[in-house]
Amino acid sequence: MSTAPRSTDDRATAFDLALASTWPVAMFVGVVTTVIGVMVVAWPDGTLKVLSVLFGIQLLLFGLFRLIGAFSSDTAAPGLVGFIGVIGMMAGVVVIRNPFEAVAVLATVLGLVWVVGGSIELISSIADSSMRDRGLVAFGAVVTIVAGIVVLAWPGPTVTVIAWIAGIYLVVFGLMICYTALRLRRLES
């Protein structure tokens, strides 16, 4: 028996052969990802509404579990935990009843985060003379600030554009997964 270590090519081939048995799963994931991407591009408002409702359900469940947890004997601050649970449930109901307004609120929060984060980066790049690639960091910060201002000025249309970008990304990513699945299938033969 040889005690020589296996080459990198041998390990890569063994890894590829192990993955080859999963090509149908990869193809399924690729097709589903591509279809979801096409749906997001074709119906961005509907997709955002569905995501908003799912987020509302998640908030509702989060609140319910917090409320139940408030009655647990080992809860440190049951009043606070119960209050957070009730607030979470109320927020969930509001989001489910008004999904488009919830998307606009989330876009507004995103815009604020971008403006504040970009401002901090810009100030840091100006104040820190030893920063590497200061100009590039400052440029990125300005782009982030401008993007945040655009989102704050037009939250609804901006979210739709973000949905389109996400949909296109999903289509490309799904097609890449399908291509990988076909390559895995070839390894199996």
Side-chain angles (χ1 to χ4, degrees), residues 58-155:
Q58 190 272 338
L59 281 173
L60 196 59
L61 291 174
F62 165 80
L64 178 65
F65 286 118
R66 287 292 180 172
L67 188 59
I68 291 170
F71 294 102
S72 175
S73 62
D74 60 345
T75 302
L80 180 62
V81 171
F83 177 73
I84 291 171
V86 169
I87 295 295
M89 290 175 67
M90 288 170 44
V93 169
V94 168
V95 169
I96 290 170
R97 291 197 58 185
N98 306 302
F100 285 116
E101 288 81 7
V103 169
V105 168
L106 292 174
T108 303
V109 169
L110 176 67
L112 286 171
V113 167
W114 284 354
V115 168
V116 171
S119 298
I120 291 170
E121 281 295 314
L122 183 61
I123 292 168
S124 295
S125 69
I126 292 170
D128 187 0
S129 61
S130 65
M131 180 182 281
R132 189 176 172 143
D133 298 324
R134 264 175 84 184
L136 189 59
V137 171
F139 176 74
V142 170
V143 169
T144 303
I145 293 167
V146 169
I149 291 169
V150 169
V151 170
L152 288 172
W154 299 290

Side-chain angles (χ1 to χ4, degrees), residues 147-173:
I149 291 169
V150 169
V151 170
L152 288 172
W154 299 290
T158 305
V159 171
T160 302
V161 170
I162 291 171
W164 282 334
I165 293 168
I168 292 167
Y169 167 77
L170 288 172
V171 168
V172 171
F173 188 61

Side-chain angles (χ1 to χ4, degrees), residues 6 11 15 17 32 64-65 76 89 127 144 150 184-185 187:
R6 296 180 78 182
R11 281 188 237 140
F15 180 72
L17 290 174
V32 169
L64 178 65
F65 286 118
M89 290 175 67
T144 303
V150 169
L184 292 172
R185 182 178 177 199
L187 284 174

